Amino acid sequence: MANNQNQSTKAEVQTSPLNKLPVPGKDDVEFSAEEAAQVFEQNQSSQQSSANKE
């Protein structure tokens, strides 16, 4: 049986990016209510401080 040069080797397939398992939590876009509150508070305080400078 001749090795067909058009086919990938087992090592090439195993190391391809498409063959990797996803990392849990890597693509999560969820955030907690506490995180949202902190960002909101920071945004409010920065708006107030910039309004006081004017």
Side-chain angles (χ1 to χ4, degrees):
M1 199 178 249
N3 186 8
N4 188 349
Q5 295 297 326
N6 293 333
Q7 292 182 339
S8 299
T9 65
K10 183 177 179 180
E12 290 171 336
V13 171
Q14 289 179 337
T15 58
S16 72
L18 296 175
N19 196 40
K20 302 221 183 299
L21 291 173
V23 177
K26 179 182 177 193
D27 295 326
D28 285 352
V29 292
E30 297 177 14
F31 55 92
S32 67
E34 291 84 9
E35 290 174 320
Q38 288 175 350
V39 171
F40 181 77
E41 289 172 359
Q42 290 173 352
N43 190 21
Q44 290 294 88
S45 65
S46 67
Q47 286 180 353
Q48 288 175 354
S49 65
S50 65
N52 291 339
K53 292 179 181 178
E54 291 178 353

